[in-house]
């Protein structure tokens, strides 16, 4: 059930290759009939990588399928202990899925695409956001200190790590995370959406079936909505009269790092929790300082997400308690 280090390394390598080449392969989609001739070698490269991905992920999907069948057999034999131990996985849900219109199960290749999407969407985004937030905490030591003082007011000195329920007592922590997602949204666009009907939007007529997207980063940087938008000021999220900022945009949309509406990122709750948990613990345990004489460079680079062009380098000092 558990993956060994070697398997994890193989998954990481193949997914990483897909992510770093995302833009390069995406172009192939624009006009496949033409790119199949003009960019023949790039197609070959994509198929090769996809084959590597199939090799790594299909064997894991099959192993899970086998485990699921064994579980069904054992539960028929009434082995209750076995039933209790079983943790439902994403692959289990894919194996159980039946496409309602086509009345068929998913093919293995389709499961590979979905697993790949889930792995990338659920890891690269959060780790990118975490790096941007930590970079700002290194660049602005007063913000880091203010956050540390908030944590210190909630957590006992003797505690090894911060618990989930303690995170809820840290409004400044939440403000730091929101400010990080506003100023540096990992995705500068959402996934492409399509219009279901003709719509007049502002000055524009958008026809049915048109592909549309949203300028996520630009929205968060709009000077008409945000005061001094390019500055990193978590305090702006504390001035809302005690109301928590609605990240789902159901009341009003001032920024949308996770998208909004029915296609909103399904992992947004988990992502917020992960970010709060990691940032709080990293600041609780260590003091983070810029490398001597080095200002933290916040230049961007587009990969699968928009990452730091020069990854964060910092000195890390254990906090003495
Ligand atoms: C800081 C972290 C994250 C950010 C900024 C983020 C952002 C987004 C955005 C902008 C979209 C597109 C929404 C749209 O098309 O309107 C999306 C989709 C998606 N996200 Fe996230 N995400 C994050 C973390 C996660 C996590 C932790 C998971 C899973 C555990 C996840 C799973 C997905 C999936 C599966 C989709 C595709 C949904 C669909 O096809 O409708 N994301 N995310």
């Amino acid at each position: 059930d558990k993956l060994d280090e070697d398997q994890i390394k193989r998954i990481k390598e193949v997914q990483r290759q897909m992510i770093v080449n995302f833009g390069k392969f995406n172009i192939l989609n624009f006009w496949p009939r033409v790119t199949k001739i003009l960019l023949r070698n790039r197609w070959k490269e994509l198929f090769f990588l996809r084959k590597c991905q199939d090799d790594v992920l299909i064997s894991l999907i099959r192993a899970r399928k086998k485990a699921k069948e064994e579980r069904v057999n054992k539960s028929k034999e009434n082995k209750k202990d076995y039933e209790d131990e079983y943790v439902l996985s994403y692959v289990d849900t894919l194996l159980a899925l039946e496409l309602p219109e086509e009345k068929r199960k998913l093919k293995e290749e389709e499961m590979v695409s979905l697993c790949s999407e889930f792995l990338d969407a659920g890891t690269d985004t959060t780790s990118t956001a975490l790096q941007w937030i930590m970079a700002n905490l290194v660049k602005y030591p007063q913000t880091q200190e203010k956050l540390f003082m908030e944590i210190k007011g909630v957590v006992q000195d003797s505690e090894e790590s911060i618990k989930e329920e303690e995170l809820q007592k840290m409004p400044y922590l939440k403000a730091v995370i929101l400010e990080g997602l506003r100023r540096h949204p990992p995705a500068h666009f959402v996934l492409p959406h399509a219009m279901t009907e003709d719509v007049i939007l502002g000055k524009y007529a958008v026809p049915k079936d048109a592909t549309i997207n949203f300028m996520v980063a630009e929205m968060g940087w709009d000077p008409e909505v945000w005061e001094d938008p390019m500055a990193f000021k978590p305090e702006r999220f504390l001035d809302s009269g005690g109301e928590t900022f609605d990240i789902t945009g159901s009341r009003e949309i001032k920024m949308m790092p996770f998208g909004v509406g029915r296609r909103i990122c399904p992992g947004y709750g988990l992502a917020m929790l992960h970010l709060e948990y990691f940032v709080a613990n990293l600041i609780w345990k260590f003091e983070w300082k810029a490398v001597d004489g080095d200002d933290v460079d916040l230049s961007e680079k587009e990969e699968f997400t928009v990452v730091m062009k020069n990854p964060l380098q910092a000195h890390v000092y254990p906090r003495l308690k």
Side-chain angles (χ1 to χ4, degrees):
D1 216 5
K2 286 227 159 45
L3 302 182
D4 59 41
E5 280 301 315
D6 192 47
Q7 284 171 310
I8 294 172
K9 211 170 136 209
R10 287 177 66 209
I11 299 173
K12 205 173 134 195
E13 266 162 22
V14 74
Q15 291 305 120
R16 180 84 197 136
Q17 279 309 310
M18 279 291 188
I19 280 182
V20 290
N21 290 304
F22 182 75
K24 194 170 116 179
F25 293 144
N26 217 5
I27 292 169
L28 302 175
N29 258 333
F30 280 118
W31 209 347
R33 261 191 279 177
V34 176
T35 57
K36 270 195 179 139
I37 300 163
L38 294 181
L39 299 171
R40 209 173 325 134
N41 286 341
R42 203 176 290 191
W43 274 102
K44 259 197 213 156
E45 221 182 304
L46 172 63
F47 284 133
F48 174 74
L49 212 55
R50 175 64 202 209
K51 165 93 181 44
C52 298
Q53 201 178 33
D54 285 348
D55 288 347
V56 175
L57 297 183
I58 288 182
S59 60
L60 295 172
I61 293 170
R62 286 186 187 158
R64 193 64 195 177
K65 193 172 175 191
K66 202 166 149 221
K68 205 177 167 205
E69 284 161 1
E70 275 170 17
R71 174 186 166 227
V72 172
N73 291 339
K74 294 228 167 124
S75 62
K76 273 187 202 147
E77 291 166 25
N78 258 338
K79 299 226 167 116
K80 191 157 181 325
D81 290 352
Y82 188 82
E83 185 77 3
D84 290 346
E85 268 166 26
Y86 197 84
V87 180
L88 189 78
S89 75
Y90 180 59
V91 173
D92 291 333
T93 64
L94 297 180
L95 289 166
L97 199 70
E98 187 165 314
L99 299 179
E101 279 164 25
E102 298 168 43
K103 296 205 170 22
R104 67 169 176 88
K105 296 264 188 188
L106 290 174
K107 296 180 197 146
E108 279 181 338
E109 293 73 25
E110 291 167 331
M111 287 191 225
V112 168
S113 299
L114 288 165
C115 287
S116 173
E117 178 199 51
F118 198 74
L119 285 168
D120 294 345
T123 53
D124 192 58
T125 45
T126 310
S127 60
T128 300
L130 181 61
Q131 189 173 164
W132 280 117
I133 294 166
M134 292 311 294
N136 277 283
L137 292 174
V138 173
K139 193 171 174 82
Y140 304 112
Q142 306 91 316
T143 310
Q144 185 180 153
E145 183 60 18
K146 194 167 168 184
L147 177 57
F148 176 67
M149 291 315 286
E150 179 180 75
I151 300 171
K152 207 166 151 46
V154 173
V155 182
Q156 302 280 327
D157 278 355
S158 56
E159 269 182 54
E160 196 38 46
S161 64
I162 303 173
K163 298 188 203 72
E164 197 179 325
E165 54 274 20
E166 289 167 331
L167 298 173
Q168 308 317 318
K169 298 177 195 150
M170 299 177 189
Y172 193 65
L173 169 69
K174 184 154 237 151
V176 167
I177 307 294
L178 288 169
E179 181 66 343
L181 290 169
R182 180 195 69 80
R183 183 60 189 80
H184 305 280
H188 279 208
F189 299 96
V190 294
L191 300 170
H193 289 237
M195 299 302 297
T196 51
E197 55 189 75
D198 292 346
V199 165
I200 303 288
L201 189 66
K203 288 180 277 174
Y204 303 94
V206 191
K208 184 170 186 250
D209 293 333
T211 303
I212 52 160
N213 212 310
F214 300 88
M215 312 282 281
V216 173
E218 301 292 331
M219 282 169 139
W221 302 341
D222 185 350
E224 302 211 345
V225 179
W226 301 95
E227 201 188 304
D228 197 6
M230 301 319 271
F232 189 82
K233 284 191 201 161
E235 288 72 15
R236 66 174 92 239
F237 286 97
L238 296 175
D239 299 338
S240 48
E243 247 184 66
T244 356
F245 183 81
D246 173 24
I247 194 81
T248 65
S250 51
R251 290 194 295 270
E252 62 171 344
I253 303 171
K254 288 173 81 179
M255 66 176 196
M256 44 186 270
F258 296 103
V260 293
R262 64 184 174 154
R263 291 297 293 275
I264 192 171
C265 168
Y268 81 88
L270 181 65
M272 288 298 287
L273 177 63
H274 275 164
L275 289 173
E276 287 172 22
Y277 182 80
F278 286 124
V279 172
N281 276 294
L282 289 173
I283 297 298
W284 173 235
K285 295 206 166 152
F286 304 102
E287 186 177 0
W288 294 66
K289 286 191 180 170
V291 174
D292 285 344
D294 193 12
D295 189 19
V296 179
D297 177 11
L298 298 180
S299 310
E300 298 172 342
K301 183 173 105 178
E302 195 168 343
E303 274 183 4
F304 173 64
T305 51
V306 177
V307 297
M308 291 184 75
K309 186 173 168 196
N310 297 305
L312 175 64
Q313 305 247 2
H315 288 305
V316 178
Y317 302 88
R319 298 214 189 245
L320 301 173
K321 301 211 181 101

